[in-house]
Amino acid sequence: MNKTLKIFLGLLSFSLIGFAQAEVDLVRNGKPQADIVIAEAPPRAAKLAAIELQEYIFKISGAKLPVVIAPGKDIPAHIYVGKSAYTDKLKITDEGLKYGAFRMVSGGDYLVLIGHDKDYVPPEFAPRNSKDVERWDERTGDKWVNPVTGWQGRYSSAAGINDYDERGSLNAVYEFLRNLSVRWYMSGDLGEVVPEKKTIAIAPLDKTVRPDFPYRDLGNYSPAFWYGTRDAILYRLRIGLDPSPACVSDDWPHGLINVHGRKETKEAHPEYYALYDGKRAIGVSGAGYPCLSSTGLFQSAVNYARAVFDIYPDKPTVGMMPQDAYISLCQCELCKGKDTPGRGWDGVMSDYVWDFVNRVAIEVYKTHPDRKIVNASYGSYVLPPDKVDKFSPNVMVVVPMARDPATREKLLKIRKEFAEKVAPGNMISGGHYLHSRTNIVTAGMPVYFPHLIAEDLHALKGLSQGEFIELSQGYGESIGDMHAPIFNHLNVYVTARYYWDADQDIDALLGEYYEKFYGPAAKEMKVFIEYSEANWPLMKAKPEPIDKAFELLEKARRVAGDTVYGKRIDLMIDFVQPMKYLREKLAKGRKGVPQAFAAERKSTEIKMDGSLDEPFWKDVPAYELKDLVTGKPPVSKTTFQVVWGDDRSIIFGIRCEDADMKGLKITTTRNEDANIFNGDVVELQIETPAHAYYQIVLNAAGALIDLDRKTGIDSNWSSEAKLAAYSGDTFWSVEIRIPASDWQEGGLDPLKKINGKKPEAGAPWYFNVNRTRQRGKEVECSAFSPTGEMNFHVPLKFGELIVK
Ligand SMILES: [Zn+2]
């Protein structure tokens, strides 16, 4: 080495030492140089923050920093976690740090990690027992359900924290550890990445971090916090999730049932409840279904919201969303004509429900302008109302998240329309990540959608306060704790990190994940995950993408070798196994399904009267339905015949034997009324080579609903069917003629008629004829082609239809 270079190097190392001396080490060469200082009686979250910091510094460096309530005299450096007399002295406070925001500040010999921490205490009248309910009733002077119930499942003894605890300092500790390159990708030891460092210095730092979304309620299929394992609960905290009750109260899902759900209300006010089939829906789904035209119910809802806001001055919102599965309009005189069947199922109750919510909000706004009334775009009121141009400024809307490629465009449009009606910021989004749940179709499916999460949250920033995402969290070992954690962990991780920074680069975040989590197999896992992200919807329908997914995963496994990375991939291989069952079913296809033959007739020869005794039906083969599940003969016999008409229509004649015609359950006489499902019906499921598939539901009153089932339930499609029903003494029967069209007809309209050519050998249609007969609690379901389960919607079991 020459002299000049030696001098240069000497200077360089001198300057490095000089710079290092300006910093203070927390750990040096594996030896502790600092203590962790907390308040004498810290909130739970601050205490947990100190314990987590101690544990991870130890994992990183092998040094265990003591947790103390006063800084040690002979200790070179101090980490102040949470507010204490010492942070007060430094004038570093938690002021203005809401919803888990935090500060990280370093000085000469100290580091402060601070946010707002507060133990959650259930408020007065929170119902623990019947005495509390009595006191609540006395206080309100009415019979409402106390909405403050969500706290019950939110304490975790395993982690020593309540999900409602404010925990800014804990977030600060986790961010500090992330800056040291610690990563939590999945719950449990196998899910974390911890670097080794023998020396940890205090770097110059003065940073305040605020989340982009205050409301971060992901994963809590409530109540779940209390039975999650320590690993699962800590994982959620480490990635920064928080249901922030100061932003949105947890009573919004189906919150209206708090107004009418009590037994006393049902007895005193039957008129609050919807009228179906001459009876008030008092007991349905527990709380009953409301009549939203009832002025008494309306006044009670207003009074309830005002009382709740008066009693709980810190409660930001009250929920006014109706009971689940609220899909049919009340049949009372006042409600008549208030639904909008022309808007399809997504909007049939939109005007009806949103108008009610808005009217309640207008009243409450007069007395409590700073609080919000919440309802969700959901069920039969997914679409925004036509009738309400702008919502009252205190209406908060839960809009759908748009992360499923099949429905994304439609939901984005709905969201945009809601955004134009609500006051700025009065939005949250909701949805679920339950795709890979133990579900007959998607079990074990690698459902990834990180890019859609990133795009969606980026778009929602500034519009939405945050999210509620259902993600069931069960019992069991750490990796079984979060729903489908093997795949969901990436969706959950990306979502949680975007709650804090919705502008980050998704590919950088994913690139880091592949590198850190899969090491030598990073490239192969990137290929597997990107393939799955692009192709998981196809895995529901074809064996090839499933084969490809297995192949890619196994390749990654070979590259990973006998390492921690290999173990992570082993978990995935284990998790995808149920897909083999689906693959087998798909590969087998429709082998063994029954066949039916349609006769050809002149369409003009049918007399559309519902009875099947005219010559038109003579010599047309008849087929019998079997029990839907067992395939045995059902108690009530059903036969059908099918004809291909010369005007290109498919005509069914169906005869339902019924020994109890007086008990026939007809729940609607109108078309497109979802009430039809509550009664006796026959259903046709029809799939053509051009379209899979259509569903037509009809009853003995000649009412029908027709749905396109291609991407869910779309009621905008119209079969344009002609239907006639006939009732005899011991049977009822129908004749239904459905026009079919194809491109040769010109101007094919996807919203009208069956899309398909005449079914012939080589290009058959697939179909099922189903019947549901209901008498009280007894329900009998039968089918031309039994599906083997209590489900009509199993297309692979549809029988074959050929004109012969
Ligand atoms: Zn009504």
Side-chain angles (χ1 to χ4, degrees), residues 71-244:
K73 285 217 166 62
D74 307 323
I75 297 190
H78 312 288
I79 310 176
Y80 299 104
V81 173
K83 182 178 152 60
S84 66
Y86 304 98
T87 56
D88 289 350
K89 215 182 287 169
L90 290 166
K91 294 195 166 47
I92 299 170
T93 72
D94 62 358
E95 212 186 300
L97 299 176
K98 290 204 301 195
Y99 311 125
F102 56 86
R103 288 189 72 190
M104 305 188 293
V105 184
S106 65
D109 66 344
Y110 68 84
L111 168 69
V112 175
L113 301 173
I114 192 171
H116 186 59
D117 307 313
K118 195 177 161 203
D119 287 347
Y120 175 77
V121 181
E124 211 188 346
F125 309 113
R128 269 161 283 231
N129 52 46
S130 58
K131 277 268 171 300
D132 289 329
V133 176
E134 271 171 36
R135 288 175 52 243
W136 164 254
D137 286 353
E138 221 169 90
R139 173 69 178 80
T140 65
D142 215 304
K143 300 288 180 193
W144 296 309
V145 179
N146 187 322
V148 184
T149 49
W151 53 276
Q152 286 150 335
R154 300 265 184 174
Y155 181 74
S156 164
S157 51
I161 192 164
N162 191 304
D163 200 11
Y164 284 167
D165 287 350
E166 291 186 52
R167 45 181 180 262
S169 303
L170 187 59
N171 290 334
V173 160
Y174 292 139
E175 183 67 11
F176 174 72
L177 292 169
R178 254 188 296 275
N179 287 348
L180 295 178
S181 292
V182 178
R183 292 290 179 277
W184 296 281
Y185 289 124
M186 189 171 76
S187 95
D189 287 345
L190 205 52
E192 67 183 31
V193 176
V194 180
E196 269 183 48
K197 292 182 208 279
K198 288 289 155 202
T199 296
I200 303 171
I202 302 180
L205 194 60
D206 184 0
K207 202 173 170 194
T208 301
V209 178
R210 296 174 205 279
D212 280 346
F213 297 93
Y215 179 58
R216 306 183 293 278
D217 200 1
L218 190 164
N220 207 20
Y221 197 28
S222 179
F225 211 76
W226 66 274
Y227 63 62
T229 60
R230 185 176 165 85
D231 277 345
I233 299 306
L234 289 179
Y235 172 63
R236 289 180 42 183
L237 300 175
R238 288 165 182 162
I239 59 177
L241 298 174
D242 194 331
S244 300

Side-chain angles (χ1 to χ4, degrees), residues 273-275 280 290-294 330-335 352:
Y273 301 83
L275 190 69
R280 293 284 170 182
C291 164
L292 298 182
S293 301
S294 157
C330 167
Q331 294 167 332
C332 84
E333 278 304 311
L334 295 170
C335 287
Y352 182 67

Side-chain angles (χ1 to χ4, degrees), residues 453-675:
I453 294 169
E455 212 179 305
D456 204 27
L457 284 169
H458 180 73
L460 282 166
K461 181 184 168 180
L463 279 179
S464 159
Q465 298 293 316
E467 297 199 307
F468 170 84
I469 292 191
E470 258 180 54
L471 182 72
S472 75
Q473 182 176 284
Y475 303 86
E477 295 308 308
S478 58
I479 55 153
D481 267 3
M482 305 275 285
H483 160 75
I486 308 307
F487 297 123
N488 262 357
H489 77 257
L490 181 59
N491 293 334
V492 168
Y493 174 76
V494 168
T495 306
R497 295 323 302 158
Y498 267 72
Y499 287 160
W500 283 87
D501 177 7
D503 300 323
Q504 62 189 302
D505 176 356
I506 182 62
D507 291 312
L509 190 74
L510 291 173
E512 186 191 77
Y513 165 74
Y514 297 133
E515 287 300 326
K516 287 187 191 288
F517 207 56
Y518 300 111
K523 208 176 90 209
E524 288 74 14
M525 284 306 292
K526 180 174 192 277
V527 172
F528 165 72
I529 288 174
E530 286 177 350
Y531 179 80
S532 300
E533 185 179 13
N535 292 287
W536 70 263
L538 290 176
M539 293 180 201
K540 290 191 263 188
K542 290 185 199 165
E544 294 79 12
I546 297 180
D547 292 342
K548 182 81 181 170
F550 274 107
E551 182 197 312
L552 293 174
L553 199 49
E554 271 147 24
K555 186 174 175 203
R557 179 65 191 87
R558 283 195 298 277
V559 176
D562 192 16
T563 58
V564 64
Y565 311 105
K567 280 185 190 154
R568 288 172 185 147
I569 301 172
D570 280 343
L571 284 179
M572 298 201 159
I573 290 176
D574 198 38
F575 192 82
V576 292
Q577 292 309 310
M579 267 209 307
K580 286 196 170 152
Y581 171 73
L582 173 66
R583 193 218 172 274
E584 215 173 286
K585 272 193 0 186
L586 291 172
K588 227 194 294 172
R590 280 168 159 145
K591 245 180 262 166
V593 299
Q595 250 183 347
F597 298 103
E600 288 192 87
R601 294 283 183 273
K602 273 201 163 71
S603 293
T604 47
E605 281 169 9
I606 189 170
K607 195 169 96 200
M608 287 291 287
D609 59 0
S611 84
L612 311 175
D613 50 10
E614 71 251 45
F616 182 85
W617 292 107
K618 205 171 163 255
D619 300 326
V620 178
Y623 301 91
E624 269 184 36
L625 303 198
K626 297 171 176 165
D627 183 273
L628 178 67
V629 180
T630 65
K632 290 180 183 159
V635 178
S636 294
K637 190 173 149 180
T638 310
T639 50
F640 73 90
Q641 294 164 281
V642 53
V643 160
W644 179 256
D646 64 347
D647 63 346
R648 238 193 249 143
S649 61
I650 191 91
I651 307 167
F652 284 86
I654 305 161
R655 180 182 163 108
C656 303
E657 308 293 337
D658 201 318
D660 170 31
M661 279 299 286
K662 281 208 187 79
L664 195 65
K665 207 171 167 200
I666 294 175
T667 46
T668 187
T669 56
R670 296 191 306 158
N671 288 341
E672 309 301 337
D673 178 359
N675 260 320

Side-chain angles (χ1 to χ4, degrees), residues 251-273:
D251 61 312
W252 69 258
H254 313 298
L256 180 58
I257 66 179
N258 293 328
V259 178
H260 64 73
R262 293 266 297 265
K263 179 171 107 263
E264 298 91 330
T265 311
K266 295 176 180 181
E267 282 162 15
H269 299 288
E271 76 280 10
Y272 286 9
Y273 301 83

